[in-house]
Amino acid sequence: DAGVIQSPRHEVTEMGQEVTLRCKPISGHNSLFWYRQTMMRGLELLIYFNNNVPIDDSGMPEDRFSAKMPNASFSTLKIQPSEPRDSAVYFCASSESDTQYFGPGTRLTVL
Amino acid sequence: GQQLNQSPQSMFIQEGEDVSMNCTSSSIFNTWLWYKQDPGEGPVLLIALYKAGELTSNGRLTAQFGITRKDSFLNISASIPSDVGIYFCAGLDNTNAGKSTFGDGTTLTVKP
């Protein structure tokens, strides 16, 4: 199994640009989670889906952030417009029960 | 919402020493999980605990699920340089589609 796949691994963009992060969960997993990790705030849950339906998006910081899961094998996290304070590592994780399997993360730098 | 208090925040130890870290919560959890994050990677599950009082080992790692179901600890014996990383506890109450509440992590540094 390839595990959770995230792309891109690194993204450098300028303030105001749109950023789209992508995630392919492990096949058969029915829950998908998006996290943001920074030194200051640690690991924060942004949103999670169950059976492709968003269950809790209370962690999404602002309306600039949106996430979709059009099918069981793909999810996106979009930031529009991006700001320097959005710089962080964004992780996607999937699960079928209690254990979450994390992807390698996308390191986002907004200049 | 639910919160986990994980301590210590960081540890600097000598190779060969034992390590102990813990998590406490004001809420009851039905499952406790311990993850390790290597530098530049995502967290990976180390140990899962499913019953109050359960003590589980995985090599040099030992974890326990507290009797009150509000706490858990992780011990690492005879630390080695590759134990470096961030250790996260996570609690699951089985009511939120697999959502775990994560602690803030313990950053471990092992000096050779």
Side-chain angles (χ1 to χ4, degrees):
Chain A
D1 196 328
V4 175
I5 299 172
Q6 289 187 248
S7 65
R9 291 295 308 273
H10 302 272
E11 175 84 25
V12 180
T13 190
E14 291 189 344
M15 182 174 63
Q17 296 297 306
E18 177 180 297
V19 174
T20 300
L21 311 181
R22 297 173 176 79
C23 175
K24 177 178 168 55
I26 293 173
S27 177
H29 284 189
N30 57 0
S31 293
L32 184 141
F33 307 81
W34 281 102
Y35 292 89
R36 176 172 69 177
Q37 187 175 36
T38 61
M39 290 289 289
M40 291 297 293
R41 301 173 71 92
L43 193 64
E44 303 174 273
L45 176 66
L46 301 178
I47 185 172
Y48 75 100
F49 297 83
N50 184 247
N51 294 322
N52 311 338
V53 176
I55 302 299
D56 184 355
D57 65 354
S58 60
M60 296 285 262
E62 302 170 29
D63 291 346
R64 298 184 296 107
F65 285 69
S66 62
K68 294 182 180 179
M69 192 165 186
N71 57 63
S73 59
F74 184 65
S75 177
T76 58
L77 178 68
K78 185 178 293 187
I79 309 172
Q80 166 63 19
S82 58
E83 296 182 3
R85 61 190 167 128
D86 301 331
S87 298
V89 180
Y90 291 81
F91 288 103
C92 174
S94 70
S95 75
E96 59 180 345
S97 59
D98 46 54
T99 302
Q100 292 186 24
Y101 295 82
F102 285 76
T106 295
R107 181 172 293 278
L108 173 65
T109 302
V110 183
L111 303 174
Chain B
Q2 297 170 323
Q3 285 190 321
L4 294 184
N5 296 309
Q6 187 171 349
S7 64
Q9 186 174 13
S10 60
M11 300 183 74
F12 295 83
I13 62 169
Q14 206 73 37
E15 182 178 1
E17 291 183 1
D18 296 343
V19 173
S20 184
M21 58 192 79
N22 67 82
C23 263
T24 59
S25 170
S26 57
S27 305
I28 289 175
F29 289 109
N30 294 322
T31 301
W32 281 93
L33 307 165
W34 285 91
Y35 291 81
K36 182 195 177 194
Q37 182 179 20
D38 288 326
E41 303 291 333
V44 174
L45 182 72
L46 296 174
I47 290 181
L49 302 157
Y50 299 103
K51 290 172 56 177
E54 178 181 356
L55 186 71
T56 297
S57 293
N58 179 6
R60 294 178 296 105
L61 276 59
T62 302
Q64 183 157 31
F65 191 146
I67 289 291
T68 64
R69 294 198 286 160
K70 293 183 177 181
D71 63 318
S72 177
F73 72 75
L74 175 71
N75 287 342
I76 306 173
S77 62
S79 60
I80 59 178
S82 62
D83 290 334
V84 164
I86 305 175
Y87 291 79
F88 292 98
C89 63
L92 205 68
D93 63 13
N94 297 337
T95 61
N96 290 309
K99 173 189 171 185
S100 293
T101 300
F102 280 81
D104 289 336
T106 294
T107 300
L108 179 64
T109 303
V110 180
K111 292 177 282 187

